[in-house]
Amino acid sequence: MAGWKLYTDAACTNEFGGTLQLVHRTDLSDNPQDKLLYYANIDDDPGDNGVIQKQAESNPGTDNITLAIADTDVGSGHEASEITLATSAADLDTNTSGASLSLGTQLLSGVSNKQEIHIRVENAVTTVGTSTELSVDIVATVDSTVTV
């Protein structure tokens, strides 16, 4: 049960390739830029029945599943503090940049249970280049079959 992935479309047919491509102006006049990804387990639930649940490994069903932006080279290129995460577009205006995002205590599999991940990038880098030091980090989780 390792089918949890990020997708670029609401039907969860196009897997996110791992690189969020943004083109920013060096004068920062195009800030901020928003993107949307979807987090789901389609592989283990092709019937879209919500048969697999994901919970935090630390205390399943109680602790939150969290998603954060990790920076492998703080002080170089872009910083995690340039990124705001939210589960809705409206929350991008009030959530704290650089903070982790709670996805709740349980996620269920299937396309109908996909979790929206809204991303706002407030670029602070004025030099032209490609940044590869930022990545997505999800707290350790466990999957189990839903019993009814």
Side-chain angles (χ1 to χ4, degrees):
M1 288 187 267
W4 296 91
K5 300 174 187 169
L6 288 167
Y7 294 89
T8 60
D9 63 315
C12 297
T13 58
N14 297 311
E15 287 183 38
F16 175 59
T19 301
L20 191 61
Q21 301 219 354
L22 298 170
V23 176
H24 279 284
R25 295 191 177 117
T26 56
D27 67 0
L28 307 180
S29 63
D30 56 351
N31 273 334
Q33 290 189 29
D34 295 350
K35 295 288 184 179
L36 176 59
L37 297 175
Y38 303 88
Y39 189 56
N41 182 340
I42 308 306
D43 297 343
D44 297 326
D45 190 2
D48 195 22
N49 297 311
V51 296
I52 305 296
Q53 67 181 352
K54 175 183 270 311
Q55 297 177 318
E57 183 179 70
S58 56
N59 195 359
T62 302
D63 289 352
N64 284 317
I65 299 165
T66 56
L67 182 146
I69 301 299
D71 189 345
T72 59
D73 194 8
V74 177
S76 170
H78 292 279
E79 301 299 322
S81 61
E82 295 178 37
I83 313 294
T84 302
L85 302 171
T87 56
S88 73
D91 288 343
L92 285 172
D93 293 331
T94 56
N95 285 5
T96 303
S97 62
S100 61
L101 176 65
S102 171
L103 301 179
T105 59
Q106 171 184 279
L107 295 174
L108 295 174
S109 62
V111 70
S112 62
N113 293 311
K114 67 186 172 283
Q115 175 65 62
E116 291 186 353
I117 308 292
H118 294 262
I119 303 164
R120 174 165 289 162
V121 178
E122 185 76 36
N123 183 35
V125 176
T126 57
T127 56
V128 177
T130 301
S131 292
T132 58
E133 75 278 5
L134 298 180
S135 62
V136 176
D137 184 34
I138 297 173
V139 70
T141 59
V142 293
D143 288 355
S144 59
T145 305
V146 175
T147 55
V148 278

